DNA sequence: GCCAACGTTGGC
DNA sequence: GCCAACGTTGGC
């Protein structure tokens, strides 16, 4: 199983929206690196849900890939993009802010800090485990 | 809301 | 294929 992190602006789509909908296509990714990451996802992979463009930006919960990459047709006539379906798993009892990520040794190598504009990225098993421990999940 | 960073587009 | 212009993302 692999681990990932995906960003969304909560004003556009939040963890509570996903909780309500239970399963949702993760569409609208228009960056090749992010798309390639979507395409590498397998059913059962775990994904951290990150709220961006809020203060402070933070990891708020966890979801699971339930359908592997298939075409994203939200831009008509543009065949290049992919989406996956994700299922709500849980909202974390504690949230992990970007400041936490910077401060905690085990997390300071996360791609989140290195590639700030990437919206879909891999997370190592150790980083994922560390985050679960932090949130008490 | 600002703006730096950076990915993408398109003229040449 | 280069690179300037442009558009978008996301931390602050």
């Amino acid at each position: 199983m692999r681990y990932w992190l995906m960003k969304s602006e909560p004003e556009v789509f939040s963890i509570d929206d996903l909780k309500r909908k239970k399963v949702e296509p993760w569409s609208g990714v228009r960056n090749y690196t992010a798309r390639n990451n979507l395409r590498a996802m397998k059913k059962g992979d775990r994904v951290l849900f990150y709220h961006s463009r809020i203060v402070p930006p933070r990891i708020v919960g966890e979801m699971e890939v339930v359908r592997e990459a298939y075409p994203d047709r939200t831009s008509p006539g543009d065949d290049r993009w992919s989406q996956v379906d994700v299922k709500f798993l849980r909202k974390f009892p504690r949230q992990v802010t970007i400041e936490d990520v910077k401060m905690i040794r085990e997390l300071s190598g996360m791609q989140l800090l290195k590639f700030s504009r990437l919206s879909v990225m891999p997370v190592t098993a150790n980083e994922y485990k560390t985050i679960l421990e932090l949130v008490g999940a």
Side-chain angles (χ1 to χ4, degrees):
Chain A
M1 189 202 294
R2 295 178 67 182
Y3 303 95
W4 309 90
L5 178 148
M6 299 203 289
K7 297 177 181 174
S8 179
E9 300 179 34
E11 298 238 325
V12 178
F13 187 74
S14 71
I15 186 88
D16 290 323
D17 294 327
L18 183 63
K19 185 177 184 180
R20 201 175 316 116
K21 296 200 161 193
K22 298 188 175 64
V23 173
E24 182 76 357
W26 200 272
S27 61
V29 170
R30 295 292 180 271
N31 168 284
Y32 291 112
T33 305
R35 181 206 65 183
N36 293 343
N37 287 333
L38 285 176
R39 290 183 178 177
M41 290 181 183
K42 297 290 179 196
K43 225 172 161 177
D45 283 0
R46 295 299 176 93
V47 188
L48 297 170
F49 196 129
Y50 180 88
H51 280 174
S52 64
R53 297 264 303 172
I54 51 163
V55 181
R58 50 196 186 263
I59 297 163
V60 294
E62 184 182 25
M63 47 195 166
E64 179 183 342
V65 177
V66 291
R67 183 177 173 189
E68 294 176 11
Y70 62 102
D72 174 347
R73 306 226 187 270
T74 52
S75 299
D78 190 344
D79 290 345
R80 293 173 292 170
W81 308 111
S82 298
Q83 64 190 25
V84 298
D85 288 355
V86 288
K87 182 179 79 176
F88 174 83
L89 287 183
R90 58 182 153 176
K91 214 171 147 176
F92 292 146
R94 281 194 62 233
Q95 305 182 341
V96 179
T97 67
I98 196 167
E99 286 93 345
D100 297 329
V101 172
K102 287 176 188 165
M103 297 297 294
I104 294 159
R105 184 177 237 293
E106 290 85 351
L107 301 181
S108 60
M110 284 186 78
Q111 289 199 202
L112 183 65
L113 301 178
K114 200 170 179 187
F115 306 104
S116 67
R117 293 182 51 205
L118 185 61
S119 66
V120 181
M121 66 190 81
V123 172
T124 69
N126 189 53
E127 288 161 354
Y128 206 93
K129 178 170 148 265
T130 302
I131 287 160
L132 291 188
E133 284 167 5
L134 279 172
V135 299

